[in-house]
Each structure stands twice: as C-alpha cells, then as structure tokens.
Amino acid sequence: MNKIIEVQNVSVSYNNLKACENISFSIDKNQIIGIIGPNGSGKSTLVKAIMGLIKIDDGIIKIMDKPIYKIRKKIAYVPQRSNIDFDFPISVEEVVMMGRYPHMLWWKKANNKDKKIVKDSLNMVGVYEKRKNQIGELSGGEQQKVFLARALAQEAEILFLDEPFAGIDIASENKIMDILKKLKKEGKTLFVVHHDLNKAGNYFDIIILLKNKLIELGEHDKVLNINNLEKVYKDKISIINNNLMVANI
Amino acid sequence: MENISFFIQSLGKYQYLQNAIIAAILVGIICGVIGCFIILRGMALMGDAISHAVLPGVAIAHFLGFSLIIGATITGVITAIGIGFISQNSKIKHDSAIGIMFTAAFALGIVLITANRGTGVDLWHILFGNVLAVSTSDVISVFYISLIILLGIFMFYKQLLISTFDPIMAKSIGLPTKLIHYVLMLTLSLVTVISLKTVGIVLVVAMLITPGATAYLLTNKLPKMILLSSVFGISSAIIGVYLSFIYDVATGASIVLVASTIFILSFIFSPKQGMLKNKFNIIKNKNLIESSEFNG
C-alpha cells in the first residue's frame, strides 16, 4: 500500500458556494506535498475535508485505506500562527504535550514515556531551552517550531501545515524546511498549504495546484507552467529572466 | 477593628449570616474556576447571555413548583443552542445572535414574573440576589453542585485545555468540541442558579469574568490562573459580605465591587503587565536610548 491518501470526486460547499469541486487525486507516502492556490481557492477547505473537520457534500476520502475517523491519531495538524492566541497562559512544553493527548486515556496525566517524547521533540526542532517560556515570549519562527514539535510528539504519519512560513524570517524558514526534509527522510508525509509560488519548486516533491477545482497535480515543472498559472492567478503573474513570478497576494 | 469583631460575633450568632458567607465563598470559588475558561475562550458575552437567559426557567420552575436547577438549565441551554443555530444558519454574526436571543429570553422571564404577581416570586431578588434568604438546604445544594463541577473540570482538564487553546486540533484528534461547548453552557446555567441568591442573575457575570481577568494579568500559567482566580473570588465574597453587613447595602453588588477593586489594583500594579510596569519600562528605555546617544 503506497497510496497514503486517496481523494475521489470530493466536493465541499459553504452556503451554496462550491469551495471544492469534484476533486480527485492520490498521493504516495513519504513526500512533501505543496497545496498551492490563491486566497479562496479552497486550499484550507480541502485540508479540512481530508482531516475530517468538515462535512463533504460528495465523494470519498481514504487515508491509509481507512476512513478518517478510524485513523485520527496518525494525522497531525500544525496551525497557522495567526489562528493561535499567543497570550494564552501556557508554556512551550505544555503545548507540545498536547501532541500526547490522543495517546493518553482521557482522565490520565502524562507518564514518563510522554515526558520523554516531548523532550525529544523539543530537542529535534531546537527549542528545548525555551520549554518553560510562555509561548508568546518566543519569536515567530520558534513558535512555528513549537507546533511542529507538537506534531512530532503526536507520532503522526501525516502532517498538515497551514501556511507555516507566514510572517517568519528567511533564516527560520530555512530551518523549518530542513526539519520538514528530515521528517520526510524518517518516512513521514507532509502536506504544506502555501500561497507563495516563487519558492514552490525547491520545497515540494509534488504540487497540488488548486482553484476550487484541481488544476494540476505533479512535479514542479509539470505543474508550474504559464498555462496553469494563468488559469489560477490570471493577471498576477509575469515572467522575469525566464522565471515565472507571481505577485504576492 | 470594632466593625470586624462585631461582624465575627454576628457570624457566630446568626445562622443566616453563616449561610450567606458560605454560599458566597462557594460561588466565589466556582465562578473563579469556570470564569478562567470563559475568558480564555473569549466567551464573556456568552456568559452574560446565559446567566440572563436562565430567568424564564427560574420563573416557570417557581410557578410549577419544580427544581430551579432544572428550569434554569433548560432555558439556559435552549438559548445557547438558539444562538448557535442563528449564527450558523444565517449571516447574522455571533455577537448579534447572542444579543437577540438572551434579551428575548430575559424579557420572557420578566413578562412571566410580572404576569404572575402575588405568587411570591420577587423579581428584584432573582435579579440582584437576596442573601438573607440563603437557607441551609440552599448551601448544601450549592456545595454539591460546586463539587460536581470542580470534579468535572479536574477530570476533563486536558480536553478543556486543548479545545480552548486550539479547537481545530481538538476536533482533528476526534474530541467532540461542540458537545464540550454545550456542556460548558449547561455549566454556566448551573453556576447562575447557585449564584442566584448571593449575587443574582444580573451581576453573576462579574463573578465569572472579573476574578479570572485579574488572575490573567498576574500569571502566565493556567493552573496558577485558576487558583488565583478562585482566591480572588473567595476574598471578594468574604470582604463583600462583610461590607454589606456593616454598611447595610446590597450584598451581591458589594461583592462585585470588591472584585472590581481587586482587578483595578492588579491592572495598575501587576508586576508583569501592569500599567505602572509599562510606564516604568517606557521611561527606562527612554533613558537607555538617551544615555547611549550620549556615549555614541
């Protein structure tokens, strides 16, 4: 079984507006997949549908050959930073411990194994020294790493990252990308919702280009051609020195 | 000092005063604890709404002679469901839905009570509390309800924490986030009922929000915030009952004013986020910049 995710004829709508229309694809495991498209193109909706957070109108979604509700533990979610309240009275360590919750019985507290896994996850992303800090005291890049560490602590097979590079500096972006590549080496499959096309080439093995429908799926060169991009971004693209450029939206 | 010893003597003498202060302390604890979650979930307005929405249930329970607790939770939860239904099924925003639903429920309660004058239900007492009427059996039921709520929070702490901090992750690992929301609304209705006689419907939201907000300014750790919040709830209760006894003013309002005073003190003096600290930092930074300009 190599196909880790199979999406067949999936449609999702909000208030009669189709956010995703008849989308089908399947993905091999052990890759970094970029989900790319402009605002309102149904990226987040598709991710939410795969993760079983919203109802789909139509279609079938299978993860490791199973329906989502049988396999929730295996899927971790790394939220967009703007969706998190960084004034929340919680420490870095406690956030990462949340990754262990799906593995704990509902009334039980963390045991030594949980604590060890949290420690290892913090070390892996390099924020162990800040473990006692309140999360708002960290930089944007560090905060993103904390949520990555939480996904690691969950021991998930599939990670969904929502705009992980939004609002962080380029050094942190590179470090986070290094971590993602390392995770791929360990056999994980990573989905990254991303709006910046300009870097998509180096970052992703497979790109899913969306504009409410699936425009194209495949490797960088196959997907990011002028035809596809015109369909998706209309007049926001230009070609500079033989490189496709898309105005940041 | 004279006042305090007079208060303590009276406390020994009068059963009603003992009941009042025990009930107030329990309300202080339970509101303080629940209030932390209400604040962190950004549901202060919802807390206000549910406490008001309890009124028609209380009125009906009074007339028909069944338990206030049942009446209150029914109308409280129906209102919460109504708010959710309106905001999910129309373009009305959540806060507007809250405004529509709770005022409707509250108005219904007032109409029911004023239509049945002479049945011994005093609107004033329900709205603003009547601490003299706290009976021993009231204290006992307040105690048991508080105990159950506290146990529930203790047992489901993880689930409450994650659904408050990151509802999307909570949902993605399969937690019933909607159920958690409605259980919390049910708890709010219960908390309102047990606070009915001490602070009353109108002011109970202050006991939910103010001690928790005070604690929020003072700490970065949730368990500490919960502890501090209930400490502030307890101190407001004791000092408030004392002041209302000595100066013969309404007890609920007196408790709330004490809580507000503690909040203002912490707002000004909080070592982490207080106004003074911020002012001090600005002056310090200014001096640093000036001195470095001199050096440079």
Side-chain angles (χ1 to χ4, degrees):
Chain A
M1 178 209 72
N2 265 333
K3 298 289 177 204
I4 197 154
I5 285 185
E6 284 192 73
V7 174
Q8 292 169 24
N9 306 97
V10 167
S11 295
V12 187
S13 55
Y14 287 117
N15 302 329
N16 296 326
L17 268 171
K18 281 237 189 289
C20 294
E21 213 178 325
N22 200 22
I23 291 179
S24 302
F25 60 85
S26 58
I27 297 285
D28 290 335
K29 66 179 201 179
N30 205 0
Q31 307 192 79
I32 303 181
I33 301 111
I35 302 179
I36 291 180
N39 282 337
S41 58
K43 293 177 303 220
S44 313
T45 307
L46 179 65
V47 168
K48 281 181 185 163
I50 298 174
M51 291 178 67
L53 300 176
I54 50 173
K55 273 193 188 146
I56 56 176
D57 304 344
D58 218 348
I60 301 169
I61 297 171
K62 275 190 178 168
I63 296 166
M64 298 162 155
D65 276 336
K66 294 193 179 95
I68 171 72
Y69 66 88
K70 283 194 174 167
I71 201 153
R72 287 191 185 277
K73 268 186 207 177
K74 297 277 173 208
I75 295 168
Y77 166 71
V78 178
Q80 198 172 341
R81 277 196 317 119
S82 57
N83 287 339
I84 294 293
D85 170 14
F86 284 99
D87 287 328
F88 202 96
I90 193 168
S91 70
V92 166
E93 200 170 41
E94 288 167 313
V95 171
V96 178
M97 184 57 84
M98 284 180 180
R100 299 305 300 158
Y101 286 5
H103 299 273
M104 294 181 202
L105 291 169
W106 61 264
W107 70 91
K108 283 218 168 143
K109 293 228 167 350
N111 60 28
N112 287 336
K113 187 189 162 206
D114 296 318
K115 285 176 190 159
K116 167 118 192 353
I117 291 172
V118 166
K119 188 183 165 191
D120 292 346
S121 309
L122 285 165
N123 271 322
M124 154 98 186
V125 302
V127 287
Y128 183 71
E129 282 68 36
K130 305 249 167 137
R131 67 192 181 281
K132 298 285 180 201
N133 286 57
Q134 193 264 339
I135 46 162
E137 295 166 359
L138 274 62
S139 72
E142 288 169 332
Q143 288 167 348
Q144 199 65 56
K145 287 179 196 164
V146 171
F147 285 95
L148 255 177
R150 185 177 75 174
L152 296 185
Q154 196 181 325
E155 297 178 313
E157 292 301 316
I158 306 173
L159 280 75
F160 285 94
L161 298 94
D162 195 356
E163 296 283 1
F165 309 120
I168 62 172
D169 59 275
I170 188 76
S172 307
E173 181 168 333
N174 291 335
K175 270 188 204 150
I176 285 167
M177 208 52 224
D178 286 344
I179 298 171
L180 298 188
K181 284 179 178 155
K182 208 163 147 194
L183 290 175
K184 181 191 144 189
K185 261 191 199 145
E186 289 173 11
K188 315 270 187 202
T189 308
L190 302 110
F191 286 83
V192 180
V193 174
H194 191 57
H195 73 272
D196 185 2
L197 260 177
N198 301 323
K199 285 169 191 151
N202 321 323
Y203 283 180
F204 309 121
D205 303 315
I206 297 277
I207 290 171
I208 298 177
L209 189 63
L210 278 183
K211 172 82 190 217
N212 305 108
K213 291 176 189 166
L214 180 67
I215 302 295
E216 186 97 74
L217 179 147
E219 287 175 12
H220 172 250
D221 297 339
K222 181 184 157 202
V223 175
L224 300 184
N225 58 49
I226 191 86
N227 273 340
N228 284 339
L229 293 179
E230 263 178 356
K231 276 187 220 164
V232 174
Y233 289 92
K234 296 220 173 78
D235 48 357
K236 291 197 180 87
I237 51 168
S238 51
I239 295 173
I240 300 169
N241 301 334
N242 282 333
N243 282 321
L244 275 173
M245 300 296 282
V246 176
N248 267 326
I249 315 127
Chain B
M1 274 328 279
E2 227 173 86
N3 282 343
I4 294 178
S5 62
F6 173 57
F7 179 68
I8 291 170
Q9 269 174 23
S10 312
L11 204 53
K13 248 190 286 180
Y14 305 118
Q15 179 79 43
Y16 85 88
L17 199 56
Q18 290 167 16
N19 288 343
I21 204 152
I22 296 171
I25 288 173
L26 287 171
V27 166
I29 296 173
I30 202 70
C31 287
V33 174
I34 289 283
C36 291
F37 290 99
I38 301 296
I39 290 172
L40 293 171
R41 295 170 89 96
M43 289 191 348
L45 185 57
M46 198 66 181
D48 199 21
I50 299 302
S51 57
H52 280 76
V54 155
L55 187 62
V58 169
I60 295 167
H62 258 302
F63 302 141
L64 302 181
F66 62 90
S67 154
L68 294 192
I69 291 167
I70 295 171
T73 44
I74 290 175
T75 52
V77 171
I78 287 179
T79 309
I81 292 172
I83 290 167
F85 186 82
I86 291 180
S87 57
Q88 274 158 32
N89 292 290
S90 74
K91 60 179 184 183
I92 306 282
K93 298 233 165 36
H94 195 63
D95 56 340
S96 303
I98 292 175
I100 296 165
M101 286 302 292
F102 97 80
T103 47
F106 193 58
L108 176 67
I110 294 175
V111 165
L112 284 175
I113 291 172
T114 47
N116 292 278
R117 280 197 195 92
T119 46
V121 180
D122 189 328
L123 183 60
W124 180 270
H125 285 163
I126 296 178
L127 296 188
F128 300 107
N130 177 21
V131 82
L132 299 181
V134 180
S135 65
T136 307
S137 70
D138 284 335
V139 173
I140 292 169
S141 64
V142 170
F143 175 77
Y144 280 115
I145 293 175
S146 305
L147 195 68
I148 292 169
I149 296 175
L150 284 179
L151 267 177
I153 290 176
F154 185 72
M155 292 177 85
F156 292 100
Y157 180 77
K158 286 198 309 252
Q159 288 80 353
L160 264 174
L161 174 62
I162 193 169
S163 67
T164 305
F165 177 68
D166 189 351
I168 302 184
M169 175 177 178
K171 220 175 159 188
S172 83
I173 61 171
L175 285 181
T177 45
K178 269 204 178 142
L179 181 70
I180 293 174
H181 171 79
Y182 286 115
V183 169
L184 210 57
M185 294 301 105
L186 189 135
T187 312
L188 273 179
S189 314
L190 282 176
V191 168
T192 309
V193 182
I194 62 176
S195 317
L196 214 56
K197 285 188 175 161
T198 34
V199 287
I201 280 178
V202 175
L203 289 178
V204 67
V205 68
M207 293 310 287
L208 284 167
I209 304 305
T210 313
T214 312
Y216 184 60
L217 290 179
L218 296 173
T219 177
N220 272 335
K221 296 189 173 66
L222 182 55
K224 224 181 191 174
M225 177 178 165
I226 294 172
L227 187 75
L228 275 178
S229 176
S230 47
V231 168
F232 292 139
I234 296 169
S235 4
S236 311
I238 295 173
I239 302 170
V241 171
Y242 164 76
L243 291 175
S244 88
F245 181 76
I246 297 298
Y247 297 106
D248 191 24
V249 291
T251 312
S254 164
I255 294 174
V256 169
L257 276 184
V258 174
S260 321
T261 309
I262 301 176
F263 172 78
I264 290 168
L265 289 176
S266 118
F267 182 73
I268 298 173
F269 296 109
S270 157
K272 277 198 120 103
Q273 287 141 310
M275 240 169 64
L276 282 188
K277 173 81 179 174
N278 288 342
K279 275 259 167 14
F280 179 73
N281 277 345
I282 292 169
I283 295 168
K284 206 169 77 179
N285 288 340
K286 222 175 168 184
N287 287 341
L288 272 176
I289 292 166
E290 277 167 8
S291 64
S292 67
E293 271 169 2
F294 269 115
N295 293 334

